[in-house]
Structure formats: C-alpha cells, structure tokens
Amino acid sequence: MMVGGQSYQTVGRGRPWTFYALAALFGLFLLFLYGPMLVIYILSFQGPDGGVTFPMVGTSLVWFEDILKPGQMANIPVSFGRSIALASIVSLLTVAISVAAGLAFRRRFPGSGVVFYLAVASLVMPSLLVGFGIGLGFRALDTKPSLFTSALGAQLTWTLPFGLFAMFAVVNRFNRAYEEAANDLGATAWQRLRHVTLPILLPGIIGVAMGAFTLSYDEYARTTLVIGERNTLPLEIYALISSATSPTLFAIGTITTGVSFLVIGLTLWRILRLQRRRAGAMPS
Amino acid sequence: MTVLPLAVAALPRLDRFASASRRLPPWLVSWLQVCPLAFVLVVLFALPTLLFVVVSFWDYDRTGIYPAFVLDNYRDLLTTPATIRVYLSSLVFAVIAWAITLFLGFNIAHFLIFHVRSAAVRTLLFLLCAIPFWTSGIIRTIAWIPFLGRNGAFNQIVMGLGLTSKPLDFLLFSSFAVIVTYVNLFTLLMVGPIANSMAKIDPALIEAARDAGASRWRIMVEVIIPLSKTGIALGSILVFTQVMGDFFVVKQMSGGQSASIVSTLATEIQAMQYPPAAASAVVLVIFVALMVAGMMRIVDVRKELVK
C-alpha cells in the first residue's frame, strides 16, 4: 500500500499515553465506519414478518428471494449485469490509459502541466456537473445518451484521474536502474516495457484495475444524467430508495457490498501472492 | 483539439515504434503516452464544461432553449435569496465536515505512521480504513437509517443502557445525520494524503528534535504538522469539493430540511431549464475553483505527487 514510514518509538521503551489514546480513537473510528453497514447486513436476513429495524423476527432469506421475483425488483438483476459489464470496460480502459500516462509523467514534457491540472479539475469537479456537460454535448450532437457511450465517458472522467494519481505513487517507487540494465543488455524499447517495466509495476497496475472497477461499479452522480434508458445498479437502487420500505433494499445492499468485497479480496490476494513470489525470487 | 491529429499521425509508426524509439525525442515519447488521457479529458471533461459555460448565456422559455448572449440567468440566480441561503448552508456543512474529518484523519494517520510498529499491521489497519471507500456510497448512506432512526439500533442501545427514557429524535433526518454521513464517507480522503505525507518524514528529524529536548507537543507542532501540510491541503481539497458537489446525502439524510446547491440545480435540469442550470453550474464551479486555488497556494500539489 501507499503507507510506509517508520515508527519513531525505540523498541523496548514503553508506549506513551498518546499511543493508547490514539489506538482508542482508531478503534472507535472503525466501529463508526463498519457499525451501520453491519446493521444493514444483519437486517437483510430479517424474518418474513420483521421490519426495517431491530428486533429481528427470526431469520430468513425471503428478502433476497424478493430480488429475483418478477415485480418491483425486476430490474435489479439486469442492471447488475450492466454494471459489471460497464465496470469491466471502464477498468480496462483506465488501466491502459493511466499506465501509459503514468510512464509519460516520469519526465517533464511541454504541456504536462496542462494535462495534470485537467486531471485535478476533472477529479474535483462537482460530479453531477460532469454529467450535465456531457449530456448537453450529446444533445448538441443530436445523439441519445446510452450506457456504453455517454455513461462510459462520464465514468472515465472520474476513474482516470484516480488511476493517474495512483500510477504516480506506483511509478515514484520504480527504480529506473532496471530499465537501464535492460538497455545495456540490448533490449528494444518494446522488450524493455514488456519484460521489465510492466512486470515490476504489475502489483500497482492490478490495484489501479481494482480501484477503477469498484469506483465505476458504485458510481451514480456522474452517470445519472447521461445513462439513457437502461440503468446501472446504483441508479436502480437510487430509484428504489424512496419507494421501497422493506428489508429488500438491505438485501440488495448486502449483495452489492459482497460483490465489492469479492473484487477487493481477489485483488489483494493476487497482489500478495505476486509480492510473496517476488520476495522468494530475490534473495535479500 | 490538437491531440487528435497528433494521435492519428502517430498510428502508422507504431509498428516501427520499437526500433525507432531510441531516436524519438523523449518529450515526443511522453506525448504519445499521454495523448489518450489528454484526449479523454479534453473531449469528455473540458469541452462539456465549456459547453455549459456557453449555454449559461443562452435564452430559454417553456418550449426550448435559444442561442443568445443574455446575462438574465446570472442576474436571476444571484438576486434570489434562496441562492445565498443554499450556498451558506452548504458552506456550513463543508466547514463542519472538514473540521471533523481533518481532526480524525490527522490523528488516524499519525497513529498509523508513527505509533504502529509493524509494517504488516500498518498495511492491514490502513486497508481496514480504505475498504469501505471501495463499496457503494449509496448503501453506506442508507445504512445509517436503521442505525439512527427513532427505533434504530443507536436509540435501542442508549435506552437499553438507561441513558435516556425517550428515543432521541434529532439523530435521523437532520443536519446531524448529514454531518455523520459526510464524516463516514469522506474521512478516508483525509487519512490517505496525510498518511502519505507523514510517511515521507525522515524519522531522524524527529529523533533530532527529541534529542534537542523538544516535548512531544513541540515535535508535533514544529516538525510533524509543517511537514504534513501538503497532505492536509490535498485532503482538505478532496473533502471540501465532495461536500460542495453532494446532492444525494443532503437529500436523503436531512429529511427535506436542507437543500444543496447541486440538488436545486438538478431540479432545473429535470425541468429542462438548461440555461439557468448552466449559470448555476458556472457559479458553483467558480466558487469551488477559488476555494481550491486558495488551498493550492499553500502547497505545490504537483511537486508533491509527481516528484
């Protein structure tokens, strides 16, 4: 991860009181972070007669079954599929574009400042306004907004700056001596990229892919004005909030968080395995 | 739009790219590498932004919008008392959320970087903070409803402990709920940049300050805080802009008591009143840009990120 650094406490000396104060604060923060989410995961297993608050009246899976039944929730499974497809494409494009750009920013080039500040502006721009602008553009071109055109584009304005800044962190730690060694051994630029640079950056690149996937999968503010007629899952959930007052909404929340956790877990597992293999290959 | 012809011109050369690259000047290589990004940012971000700036000067009526150059949209917007009110209320939310996330973010980053001794534990704890950020903001927002509600988990705990006999009403659908949700959603945006800055502080500096007799407090004020200010500025920018651009949390958690700048704008968009919506968007962008520029004056963000 991004966080390195060293503890300045000398081992063996006792912990100062600030350690315990901050540890307590950190613990409370984690409780604050996860507590409400845990409540809705538990409530999504509410019994058929229970409501949207405690107490639990037995446990059941009826609220999950509700999602698959035809009716009010009919759009959930379809929109889930759309979200996965869109997130996969966004993730691929983000990796390809931001890895290339990350490599470009290793040297100063004319116009680098412009591109950098465009990325910063794109990141801090109020999300809905990005969708508004793109929507106006599509109107001006007399084109209907849709999932894989305007929505895809709106999401890229969000995932690309993240990908770029993540690549900065990855590239900063890259030791250029490896590339020089490849040059000295007669590698072409392509061989150097394919067999030296990319494999070394791979854990960071996998991280960018995951970040882009989850950001796209959960995005709603930039997408909502340019989605066209077929909603993604977050927009479908957004539309349901005001009408649904049963634990079904929590069941959807449990499933979509489960998907996010699965993606995060698989990614971390891959990165960890790569690093372990690398540590084994390089005698220190 | 200068990047597009450049990208097209580069295409036929891609097959010879490998052998020719050593002869390409380095800046050209960088240009080729960055041009897909520049293309996307220009076409999908810069041009659409320019478009709503243009549309903000257009005229409109009930049937459509018309190219023109009128300042009525701005005059109507800036002379409505509701505009000032909604900006003030968003600003108050932003300042409170900023202060709390800064306090939490700074202390958590400090704990992770300087107090946790093992790198593996530090990574694990950092991941615990970061994982919710990668899950749905909508779900994390509505997760507070069964927690804070009148019959919610928090009231049940408090009443179970005998701290109060009646359920607390101010918890949900109030400004309180909005702030709680902002802090829950955005604290990580503070922790990340500040921890990143702190991790770059040379431990020898702190050791030296201690050897010179500095107290823990003075080390904090005179060494750690000045050296973390880039992270503090970056985190502040992220939290501030997220709150100013929010429309979902305020709508969902305030129970209709507060409006946000963007939600009033969204109402106009839905009514197809694009020119006034665009004027409102331009004002918001200028407002946010001024605040961000003010914070950027404190630090050179680019130097920090790119090195």
Side-chain angles (χ1 to χ4, degrees):
Chain A
M1 292 312 292
M2 308 192 301
V3 185
Q6 267 155 26
S7 158
Y8 61 77
Q9 311 296 332
T10 318
V11 180
R13 228 191 291 173
R15 301 276 197 185
W17 66 268
T18 46
F19 169 80
Y20 297 100
L22 288 175
L25 180 78
F26 187 74
L28 285 174
F29 176 70
L30 286 185
L31 206 62
F32 170 74
L33 206 55
Y34 287 92
M37 287 164 80
L38 282 177
V39 169
I40 68 159
Y41 304 151
I42 295 169
L43 283 174
S44 65
F45 294 97
Q46 179 72 281
D49 301 321
V52 289
T53 50
F54 285 116
M56 295 285 283
V57 187
T59 55
S60 72
L61 290 175
V62 289
W63 310 107
F64 289 91
E65 289 160 14
D66 228 28
I67 302 171
L68 293 173
K69 274 188 211 146
Q72 193 193 15
M73 303 291 160
N75 287 326
I76 292 291
V78 197
S79 58
F80 172 73
R82 281 182 210 132
S83 277
I84 295 283
L86 183 63
S88 307
I89 296 173
V90 167
S91 172
L92 277 176
L93 285 174
T94 304
V95 165
I97 296 172
S98 56
V99 167
L103 294 176
F105 271 94
R106 291 192 294 176
R107 33 182 124 70
R108 285 216 168 217
F109 54 91
S112 61
V114 177
V115 179
F116 176 80
Y117 284 109
L118 261 183
V120 172
S122 181
L123 187 70
V124 302
M125 178 73 128
S127 300
L128 196 87
L129 303 190
V130 175
F132 179 41
I134 294 176
L136 282 177
F138 269 66
R139 264 181 74 95
L141 298 172
D142 221 5
T143 316
K144 278 211 164 107
S146 74
L147 189 62
F148 294 113
T149 56
S150 49
L152 175 71
Q155 296 200 340
L156 285 178
T157 66
W158 175 235
T159 57
L160 281 180
F162 260 107
L164 181 68
F165 296 144
M167 280 311 294
F168 286 161
V170 173
V171 167
N172 275 344
R173 277 178 297 168
F174 177 70
N175 184 350
R176 291 200 94 162
Y178 290 114
E179 285 188 329
E180 279 154 27
N183 279 345
D184 293 346
L185 292 169
T188 62
W190 173 250
Q191 286 174 322
R192 189 183 61 202
L193 181 71
R194 169 78 183 72
H195 297 291
V196 179
T197 314
L198 288 184
I200 293 178
L201 298 182
L202 190 60
I205 294 173
I206 295 175
V208 170
M210 179 210 75
F213 186 94
T214 55
L215 287 179
S216 159
Y217 175 72
D218 296 322
E219 217 291 323
Y220 62 94
R222 289 182 189 229
T223 328
T224 178
L225 291 174
V226 290
I227 189 61
E229 282 154 7
R230 299 179 303 156
N231 273 348
T232 57
L233 184 61
L235 294 172
E236 205 57 50
I237 296 174
Y238 186 91
L240 273 178
I241 288 177
S242 43
S243 57
T245 45
S246 69
T248 314
L249 197 60
F250 301 155
I252 297 170
T254 304
I255 292 178
T256 172
T257 313
V259 171
S260 294
F261 277 0
L262 194 69
V263 173
I264 298 167
L266 281 175
T267 310
L268 293 178
W269 177 70
R270 283 234 43 171
I271 292 178
L272 222 67
R273 226 180 45 158
L274 269 175
Q275 283 178 339
R276 193 164 298 159
R277 196 191 306 160
R278 213 163 273 181
M282 276 191 278
S284 49
Chain B
M1 287 301 291
T2 53
V3 281
L4 186 58
L6 188 76
V8 175
L11 281 178
R13 292 163 70 176
L14 278 180
D15 54 338
R16 293 193 292 119
F17 185 68
S19 56
S21 75
R22 272 185 208 176
R23 271 169 282 127
L24 286 178
W27 64 266
L28 186 58
V29 176
S30 275
W31 266 32
L32 292 174
Q33 286 169 331
V34 92
C35 79
L37 176 73
F39 176 77
V40 172
L41 288 178
V42 167
V43 171
L44 292 162
F45 170 70
L47 288 181
T49 304
L50 207 65
L51 197 61
F52 71 65
V53 173
V54 170
V55 170
S56 73
F57 296 104
W58 285 16
D59 205 356
Y60 73 106
D61 61 23
R62 273 185 205 159
T63 50
I65 61 177
Y66 311 102
F69 186 84
V70 293
L71 295 172
D72 299 14
N73 302 314
Y74 287 99
R75 205 190 47 221
D76 293 348
L77 178 73
L78 297 175
T79 51
T80 315
T83 309
I84 314 291
R85 211 178 316 130
V86 78
Y87 267 80
L88 273 180
S89 100
S90 292
L91 207 57
V92 170
F93 276 137
V95 169
I96 297 174
W98 170 77
I100 299 174
T101 53
L102 178 60
F103 173 81
L104 283 174
F106 186 87
N107 282 299
I108 288 165
H110 187 260
F111 174 73
L112 290 176
I113 300 297
F114 294 119
H115 284 285
V116 176
R117 288 173 183 167
S118 133
V121 174
R122 182 181 305 132
T123 305
L124 181 78
L125 293 182
F126 189 80
L127 275 175
L128 275 178
C129 293
I131 282 172
F133 185 69
W134 291 317
T135 65
S136 169
I138 292 185
I139 299 299
R140 288 172 67 200
T141 301
I142 57 170
W144 283 101
I145 294 174
F147 190 82
L148 292 179
R150 212 184 137 76
N151 301 313
F154 188 80
N155 268 328
Q156 287 177 1
I157 294 170
V158 176
M159 285 164 70
L161 291 173
L163 294 175
T164 165
S165 53
K166 272 193 290 183
L168 302 170
D169 272 332
F170 72 92
L171 293 174
L172 188 60
F173 303 132
S174 60
S175 301
F176 174 81
V178 175
I179 294 289
V180 165
T181 314
Y182 281 152
V183 172
N184 183 279
L185 290 177
F186 302 142
T187 300
L188 179 80
L189 298 177
M190 264 314 176
V191 177
I194 297 178
N196 205 28
S197 282
M198 283 180 175
K200 289 182 192 157
I201 298 177
D202 187 346
L205 284 177
I206 292 159
E207 208 55 57
R210 185 178 303 131
D211 290 347
S215 65
R216 201 175 285 132
W217 177 248
R218 281 196 66 189
I219 293 177
M220 175 69 88
V221 173
E222 291 183 30
V223 181
I224 295 177
I225 291 179
L227 290 175
S228 322
K229 71 175 187 197
T230 314
I232 294 173
L234 266 179
S236 305
I237 290 174
L238 291 176
V239 170
F240 178 80
T241 53
Q242 284 296 313
V243 174
M244 292 306 283
D246 165 66
F247 61 97
F248 176 71
V249 175
V250 163
K251 179 178 161 235
Q252 206 56 44
M253 303 307 281
S254 78
Q257 294 174 33
S258 315
S260 74
I261 302 167
V262 179
S263 64
T264 45
L265 199 153
T267 318
E268 286 172 329
I269 295 175
Q270 267 143 22
M272 304 250 238
Q273 297 175 334
Y274 296 125
S280 169
V282 171
V283 171
L284 175 60
V285 168
I286 292 174
F287 188 78
V288 169
L290 284 177
M291 301 296 259
V292 170
M295 290 187 229
M296 291 256 229
R297 280 176 67 103
I298 306 172
V299 288
D300 184 346
V301 176
R302 169 145 200 226
K303 208 174 95 201
E304 176 73 11
L305 283 172
V306 190
K307 270 195 190 155

mmCIF file of all heavy atoms in Angstrom, chain B residues 77 82-92 244 261 279-285 287-288:
data_model
loop_
_atom_site.group_PDB
_atom_site.id
_atom_site.type_symbol
_atom_site.label_atom_id
_atom_site.label_comp_id
_atom_site.label_asym_id
_atom_site.label_seq_id
_atom_site.Cartn_x
_atom_site.Cartn_y
_atom_site.Cartn_z
ATOM 1 N N LEU B 77 -30.234 34.283 -10.852
ATOM 2 C CA LEU B 77 -29.631 33.403 -9.854
ATOM 3 C C LEU B 77 -29.089 34.202 -8.662
ATOM 4 O O LEU B 77 -29.359 33.886 -7.507
ATOM 5 C CB LEU B 77 -28.496 32.611 -10.513
ATOM 6 C CG LEU B 77 -27.726 31.665 -9.594
ATOM 7 C CD1 LEU B 77 -28.577 30.451 -9.271
ATOM 8 C CD2 LEU B 77 -26.435 31.232 -10.258
ATOM 9 N N ALA B 82 -32.746 32.623 -2.100
ATOM 10 C CA ALA B 82 -32.569 31.182 -1.902
ATOM 11 C C ALA B 82 -31.156 30.741 -2.275
ATOM 12 O O ALA B 82 -30.594 29.826 -1.665
ATOM 13 C CB ALA B 82 -33.596 30.422 -2.736
ATOM 14 N N THR B 83 -30.570 31.401 -3.282
ATOM 15 C CA THR B 83 -29.218 31.030 -3.704
ATOM 16 C C THR B 83 -28.221 31.247 -2.567
ATOM 17 O O THR B 83 -27.440 30.356 -2.227
ATOM 18 C CB THR B 83 -28.775 31.888 -4.909
ATOM 19 O OG1 THR B 83 -29.784 31.828 -5.897
ATOM 20 C CG2 THR B 83 -27.454 31.402 -5.456
ATOM 21 N N ILE B 84 -28.286 32.447 -1.995
ATOM 22 C CA ILE B 84 -27.371 32.760 -0.897
ATOM 23 C C ILE B 84 -27.582 31.777 0.249
ATOM 24 O O ILE B 84 -26.619 31.264 0.825
ATOM 25 C CB ILE B 84 -27.611 34.208 -0.390
ATOM 26 C CG1 ILE B 84 -27.715 35.176 -1.550
ATOM 27 C CG2 ILE B 84 -26.535 34.610 0.605
ATOM 28 C CD1 ILE B 84 -26.451 35.408 -2.301
ATOM 29 N N ARG B 85 -28.853 31.497 0.534
ATOM 30 C CA ARG B 85 -29.155 30.603 1.657
ATOM 31 C C ARG B 85 -28.551 29.224 1.416
ATOM 32 O O ARG B 85 -27.919 28.651 2.308
ATOM 33 C CB ARG B 85 -30.677 30.500 1.827
ATOM 34 C CG ARG B 85 -31.098 30.281 3.259
ATOM 35 C CD ARG B 85 -32.614 30.222 3.409
ATOM 36 N NE ARG B 85 -33.327 31.251 2.668
ATOM 37 C CZ ARG B 85 -34.359 31.000 1.855
ATOM 38 N NH1 ARG B 85 -34.764 29.754 1.656
ATOM 39 N NH2 ARG B 85 -34.974 31.978 1.231
ATOM 40 N N VAL B 86 -28.745 28.690 0.202
ATOM 41 C CA VAL B 86 -28.283 27.326 -0.051
ATOM 42 C C VAL B 86 -26.741 27.274 -0.086
ATOM 43 O O VAL B 86 -26.130 26.318 0.389
ATOM 44 C CB VAL B 86 -28.935 26.757 -1.336
ATOM 45 C CG1 VAL B 86 -28.288 27.274 -2.570
ATOM 46 C CG2 VAL B 86 -28.916 25.247 -1.311
ATOM 47 N N TYR B 87 -26.105 28.339 -0.600
ATOM 48 C CA TYR B 87 -24.639 28.375 -0.566
ATOM 49 C C TYR B 87 -24.143 28.410 0.872
ATOM 50 O O TYR B 87 -23.190 27.725 1.243
ATOM 51 C CB TYR B 87 -24.099 29.579 -1.350
ATOM 52 C CG TYR B 87 -23.778 29.235 -2.787
ATOM 53 C CD1 TYR B 87 -24.773 29.169 -3.742
ATOM 54 C CD2 TYR B 87 -22.477 28.926 -3.171
ATOM 55 C CE1 TYR B 87 -24.495 28.832 -5.049
ATOM 56 C CE2 TYR B 87 -22.187 28.582 -4.470
ATOM 57 C CZ TYR B 87 -23.211 28.534 -5.406
ATOM 58 O OH TYR B 87 -22.919 28.177 -6.693
ATOM 59 N N LEU B 88 -24.803 29.258 1.710
ATOM 60 C CA LEU B 88 -24.380 29.342 3.105
ATOM 61 C C LEU B 88 -24.538 28.008 3.810
ATOM 62 O O LEU B 88 -23.626 27.557 4.510
ATOM 63 C CB LEU B 88 -25.208 30.410 3.834
ATOM 64 C CG LEU B 88 -24.654 31.824 3.749
ATOM 65 C CD1 LEU B 88 -25.559 32.782 4.517
ATOM 66 C CD2 LEU B 88 -23.240 31.857 4.352
ATOM 67 N N SER B 89 -25.681 27.349 3.576
ATOM 68 C CA SER B 89 -25.897 26.097 4.297
ATOM 69 C C SER B 89 -24.903 25.035 3.821
ATOM 70 O O SER B 89 -24.361 24.274 4.624
ATOM 71 C CB SER B 89 -27.354 25.636 4.178
ATOM 72 O OG SER B 89 -27.487 24.636 3.205
ATOM 73 N N SER B 90 -24.606 24.995 2.514
ATOM 74 C CA SER B 90 -23.600 24.042 2.024
ATOM 75 C C SER B 90 -22.227 24.359 2.605
ATOM 76 O O SER B 90 -21.456 23.454 2.954
ATOM 77 C CB SER B 90 -23.508 24.069 0.501
ATOM 78 O OG SER B 90 -24.677 23.554 -0.059
ATOM 79 N N LEU B 91 -21.939 25.655 2.712
ATOM 80 C CA LEU B 91 -20.634 26.060 3.238
ATOM 81 C C LEU B 91 -20.493 25.662 4.703
ATOM 82 O O LEU B 91 -19.432 25.183 5.126
ATOM 83 C CB LEU B 91 -20.485 27.577 3.077
ATOM 84 C CG LEU B 91 -19.069 28.107 2.956
ATOM 85 C CD1 LEU B 91 -18.354 27.452 1.795
ATOM 86 C CD2 LEU B 91 -19.093 29.617 2.772
ATOM 87 N N VAL B 92 -21.571 25.832 5.457
ATOM 88 C CA VAL B 92 -21.533 25.432 6.872
ATOM 89 C C VAL B 92 -21.299 23.922 6.978
ATOM 90 O O VAL B 92 -20.435 23.460 7.738
ATOM 91 C CB VAL B 92 -22.840 25.843 7.586
ATOM 92 C CG1 VAL B 92 -22.919 25.211 8.968
ATOM 93 C CG2 VAL B 92 -22.918 27.358 7.692
ATOM 94 N N MET B 244 -19.305 20.016 -1.360
ATOM 95 C CA MET B 244 -19.944 21.054 -2.166
ATOM 96 C C MET B 244 -20.677 20.455 -3.366
ATOM 97 O O MET B 244 -21.640 21.031 -3.873
ATOM 98 C CB MET B 244 -18.916 22.085 -2.673
ATOM 99 C CG MET B 244 -18.294 22.950 -1.603
ATOM 100 S SD MET B 244 -19.474 23.810 -0.555
ATOM 101 C CE MET B 244 -19.987 25.125 -1.619
ATOM 102 N N ILE B 261 -26.681 22.834 -3.147
ATOM 103 C CA ILE B 261 -26.522 23.608 -4.375
ATOM 104 C C ILE B 261 -26.852 22.746 -5.581
ATOM 105 O O ILE B 261 -27.599 23.149 -6.476
ATOM 106 C CB ILE B 261 -25.069 24.113 -4.481
ATOM 107 C CG1 ILE B 261 -24.733 24.956 -3.245
ATOM 108 C CG2 ILE B 261 -24.860 24.909 -5.749
ATOM 109 C CD1 ILE B 261 -23.255 25.243 -3.095
ATOM 110 N N ALA B 279 -26.012 28.370 -15.634
ATOM 111 C CA ALA B 279 -25.495 29.529 -14.908
ATOM 112 C C ALA B 279 -25.173 29.152 -13.473
ATOM 113 O O ALA B 279 -24.118 29.510 -12.919
ATOM 114 C CB ALA B 279 -26.519 30.658 -14.944
ATOM 115 N N SER B 280 -26.071 28.394 -12.875
ATOM 116 C CA SER B 280 -25.851 27.924 -11.513
ATOM 117 C C SER B 280 -24.597 27.038 -11.441
ATOM 118 O O SER B 280 -23.808 27.124 -10.495
ATOM 119 C CB SER B 280 -27.101 27.176 -11.063
ATOM 120 O OG SER B 280 -26.882 26.510 -9.887
ATOM 121 N N ALA B 281 -24.405 26.193 -12.459
ATOM 122 C CA ALA B 281 -23.220 25.333 -12.510
ATOM 123 C C ALA B 281 -21.951 26.173 -12.594
ATOM 124 O O ALA B 281 -20.956 25.900 -11.911
ATOM 125 C CB ALA B 281 -23.308 24.383 -13.702
ATOM 126 N N VAL B 282 -21.982 27.222 -13.437
ATOM 127 C CA VAL B 282 -20.790 28.066 -13.601
ATOM 128 C C VAL B 282 -20.436 28.743 -12.279
ATOM 129 O O VAL B 282 -19.270 28.766 -11.864
ATOM 130 C CB VAL B 282 -21.020 29.119 -14.709
ATOM 131 C CG1 VAL B 282 -19.883 30.130 -14.720
ATOM 132 C CG2 VAL B 282 -21.139 28.448 -16.065
ATOM 133 N N VAL B 283 -21.456 29.259 -11.590
ATOM 134 C CA VAL B 283 -21.195 29.926 -10.313
ATOM 135 C C VAL B 283 -20.579 28.937 -9.318
ATOM 136 O O VAL B 283 -19.600 29.240 -8.631
ATOM 137 C CB VAL B 283 -22.494 30.553 -9.749
ATOM 138 C CG1 VAL B 283 -22.273 31.057 -8.338
ATOM 139 C CG2 VAL B 283 -22.945 31.684 -10.650
ATOM 140 N N LEU B 284 -21.142 27.730 -9.266
ATOM 141 C CA LEU B 284 -20.604 26.725 -8.350
ATOM 142 C C LEU B 284 -19.154 26.381 -8.695
ATOM 143 O O LEU B 284 -18.295 26.285 -7.810
ATOM 144 C CB LEU B 284 -21.474 25.455 -8.386
ATOM 145 C CG LEU B 284 -20.961 24.267 -7.569
ATOM 146 C CD1 LEU B 284 -20.854 24.626 -6.093
ATOM 147 C CD2 LEU B 284 -21.857 23.046 -7.739
ATOM 148 N N VAL B 285 -18.883 26.203 -9.998
ATOM 149 C CA VAL B 285 -17.524 25.853 -10.412
ATOM 150 C C VAL B 285 -16.542 26.962 -10.025
ATOM 151 O O VAL B 285 -15.461 26.701 -9.505
ATOM 152 C CB VAL B 285 -17.465 25.578 -11.934
ATOM 153 C CG1 VAL B 285 -16.024 25.515 -12.409
ATOM 154 C CG2 VAL B 285 -18.178 24.283 -12.254
ATOM 155 N N PHE B 287 -16.876 29.135 -7.633
ATOM 156 C CA PHE B 287 -16.780 29.117 -6.178
ATOM 157 C C PHE B 287 -15.808 28.024 -5.712
ATOM 158 O O PHE B 287 -14.872 28.272 -4.939
ATOM 159 C CB PHE B 287 -18.180 28.880 -5.612
ATOM 160 C CG PHE B 287 -18.276 29.034 -4.132
ATOM 161 C CD1 PHE B 287 -18.317 30.294 -3.556
ATOM 162 C CD2 PHE B 287 -18.319 27.920 -3.309
ATOM 163 C CE1 PHE B 287 -18.407 30.439 -2.194
ATOM 164 C CE2 PHE B 287 -18.409 28.058 -1.940
ATOM 165 C CZ PHE B 287 -18.455 29.324 -1.381
ATOM 166 N N VAL B 288 -16.010 26.805 -6.225
ATOM 167 C CA VAL B 288 -15.137 25.688 -5.833
ATOM 168 C C VAL B 288 -13.709 25.951 -6.293
ATOM 169 O O VAL B 288 -12.743 25.721 -5.549
ATOM 170 C CB VAL B 288 -15.674 24.356 -6.413
ATOM 171 C CG1 VAL B 288 -14.661 23.244 -6.247
ATOM 172 C CG2 VAL B 288 -16.985 23.980 -5.739
#
